[in-house]
Amino acid sequence: MKIAVIGGGAAGLTAAISAARKNAHVTVFEKNDRVGKKILMTGNGKCNLSNTNLSPEFYYSGDRSFVLSALERFGLNETVQFFNSLGLLLTEKRGGIYPHSEQASAVLDALRFEAASLGVSFMLNCNVKEVEPSEKDKGFDVVYDLTDGEKRKKDQSMHFDKVIVTTGGKAAPKTGSDGAGYRIAGELGLKMTKLYPALCGVKCDGDFWKSISGVRAQASLLIECEESGEGFSYGELQITDYGISGIPVFQISRIIAEMLEKGKVTVDIDFFPDVDEGVIFNEFMTRVMFLSGRNYEQFLGGFINKKLALCVLKKLGIKPSETISDDKALIGKLVNALKHFRVTVNGVNSYDQSQTTAGGILLSEITGDFESKTYPGLYFAGEVLDADGVCGGYNLQWAWTGGFIAGEAASTC
């Protein structure tokens, strides 16, 4: 059985190993000069490769039941066993599963070494242009351009019995993710959703962002759109010179991207998410008495980051040097501004600054073995499919899951 794996990332390497362990002859086509570039970026270089809570609720997809079924076949336990079989020691931290060394390179090396030991061939610097169902038999012709040194060989072709497409999405294009899998699927007539950048920062209106750039704060975020629902997220917010970032923003960025097509989107930031507004108001009024004679900048300095305090005061038209007042209406406005720091969104960051792609090939186009219903012998796995997870190892788990199932299924005659 000759199998081509197009894309040498997380899903691709897993598929190659899974198929080769079943004695298939596997060739991995990779457009970069080495495999696994994106793996090295995951988890800030520590590679959060799974999570102890693999509920499908942590995935966005048009068919979460498919996601659930796949994770039941190859979930956390199977992933741990798989990497243990590669000689990789894993550890758990706050629900996330990491290599014990906390080095993404250890994960990539384990995958590379296993693939090599199984005789997997690697075609590097190959840009796959087409996957053509063969007119002569049930196989496929993989058409590609090959860069060999300074020479570029165009329209090369190799024939395979089965093909597994694991090209990734469009996020982090510097790692080679250029949306090739969507093009291949589109040319074959497979249906796809609209695509959006996901797990990325959000750009907001306002001329004050540079003045508070770099501030980090525990906060909750409520997203509201004129035309469609709302979303909620909580965690350490990172303020940038263009708007907001950090894990809580990443978790809802794909929702925001979709909402922006339907109407105006605002984010209501609560810088005191664990304290009721009335409690803060009473605390402020008490401290106004204790700190009589202080100015507003000094007063807020004991509550929040100084940069943020000055920004809030400016938004309210209060001079930082002004002496604090016991005016309840004014204190109420101050508390409200801290509990409801409202900003208008004008976009999400591009694929260059996103970690994954939202949307993809409809899961209704493939079987439970990740095989195309239209083209038997053609498989898809990983980010190219319509299933993207939140932060926490969910996207890599989806890659391991689809890659392993597709590789094993493809190697079966």
Side-chain angles (χ1 to χ4, degrees), residues 26-332:
V26 182
T27 301
V28 176
F29 289 82
E30 170 58 48
K31 73 177 301 180
N32 292 311
D33 58 359
R34 57 190 174 117
V35 296
K37 279 190 173 182
K38 197 170 181 180
I39 293 176
L40 297 176
M41 296 170 55
T42 58
N44 290 322
K46 295 182 179 181
C47 198
N48 182 186
L49 55 83
S50 188
N51 200 285
T52 55
N53 184 359
L54 285 183
S55 169
E57 69 183 87
F58 296 111
Y59 289 89
Y60 296 102
S61 173
D63 188 353
R64 280 182 173 167
S65 63
F66 185 105
V67 175
L68 174 61
S69 178
L71 291 175
E72 287 176 341
R73 290 181 63 184
F74 193 91
L76 175 61
N77 291 336
E78 292 76 14
T79 298
V80 170
Q81 291 170 12
F82 174 69
F83 280 104
N84 283 343
S85 76
L86 305 184
L88 191 69
L89 180 64
L90 303 178
T91 188
E92 183 264 335
K93 291 176 61 178
R94 296 183 297 278
I97 306 299
Y98 296 83
H100 191 266
S101 65
E102 295 194 349
Q103 290 181 299
S105 58
V107 177
L108 177 56
D109 285 344
L111 292 165
R112 288 193 306 111
F113 297 155
E114 178 70 1
S117 71
L118 292 168
V120 173
S121 300
F122 291 94
M123 297 282 289
L124 303 177
N125 299 306
C126 279
N127 181 31
V128 174
K129 299 167 67 177
E130 294 178 84
V131 174
E132 300 177 340
S134 176
E135 296 180 358
K136 298 180 182 179
D137 53 38
K138 295 182 179 180
F140 299 85
D141 294 318
V142 175
V143 181
Y144 61 94
D145 292 342
L146 171 66
T147 301
D148 184 7
E150 296 182 357
K151 297 181 179 179
R152 187 172 179 80
K153 302 176 182 177
K154 293 187 176 182
D155 297 325
Q156 304 293 298
S157 179
M158 293 179 68
H159 183 77
F160 294 91
D161 300 305
K162 308 279 184 71
V163 174
I164 307 174
V165 178
T166 56
T167 50
K170 298 179 71 175
K174 291 181 180 179
T175 64
S177 300
D178 60 359
Y182 306 126
R183 175 176 49 77
I184 291 171
E187 289 174 351
L188 293 172
L190 275 67
K191 296 178 181 177
M192 291 173 280
T193 69
K194 188 154 188 176
L195 306 174
Y196 303 94
L199 301 188
C200 59
V202 171
K203 295 179 282 188
C204 304
D205 290 341
D207 59 1
F208 53 83
W209 294 107
K210 288 187 178 180
S211 68
I212 55 175
S213 178
V215 172
R216 293 172 179 249
Q218 286 296 124
S220 65
L221 289 76
L222 180 67
I223 321 160
E224 298 175 320
C225 178
E226 291 176 325
E227 300 296 329
S228 62
E230 58 186 30
F232 178 82
S233 189
Y234 173 87
E236 186 182 61
L237 177 70
Q238 297 178 23
I239 297 177
T240 70
D241 59 3
Y242 59 77
I244 52 179
S245 187
I247 297 298
V249 177
F250 288 179
Q251 307 291 47
I252 55 177
S253 58
R254 74 104 69 197
I255 300 175
I256 291 175
E258 291 180 298
M259 283 184 170
L260 281 168
E261 296 197 342
K262 300 174 182 177
K264 180 182 177 181
V265 177
T266 58
V267 177
D268 194 334
I269 304 171
D270 182 353
F271 289 108
F272 288 90
D274 300 321
V275 187
D276 183 76
E277 194 162 340
V279 173
I280 299 176
F281 177 81
N282 291 334
E283 178 67 18
F284 272 31
M285 291 303 297
T286 300
R287 293 197 176 209
V288 165
M289 292 188 293
F290 290 144
L291 302 176
S292 177
R294 303 279 182 92
N295 62 39
Y296 281 99
E297 180 181 351
Q298 295 167 337
F299 178 76
L300 286 182
F303 285 90
I304 57 172
N305 180 282
K306 183 176 181 178
K307 287 183 179 180
L308 192 56
L310 293 173
C311 180
V312 169
L313 291 171
K314 184 177 181 180
K315 287 189 74 173
L316 292 175
I318 301 173
K319 293 181 179 179
S321 59
E322 186 179 333
T323 302
I324 56 174
S325 166
D326 61 358
D327 182 337
K328 290 185 178 182
L330 187 57
I331 294 299

Side-chain angles (χ1 to χ4, degrees), residues 348-370:
V348 298
N349 278 348
S350 67
Y351 288 110
D352 287 329
Q353 298 165 297
S354 65
Q355 295 183 18
T356 193
T357 308
I361 301 168
L362 292 176
L363 296 182
S364 59
E365 291 281 348
I366 60 175
T367 69
D369 285 334
F370 290 76

Side-chain angles (χ1 to χ4, degrees), residues 1 3 18-24 162 164 379 406-413:
M1 180 72 69
I3 298 176
S18 176
R21 283 180 173 178
K22 295 291 185 179
N23 300 315
K162 308 279 184 71
I164 307 174
Y379 298 76
E408 193 168 67
S411 61
T412 304
C413 295

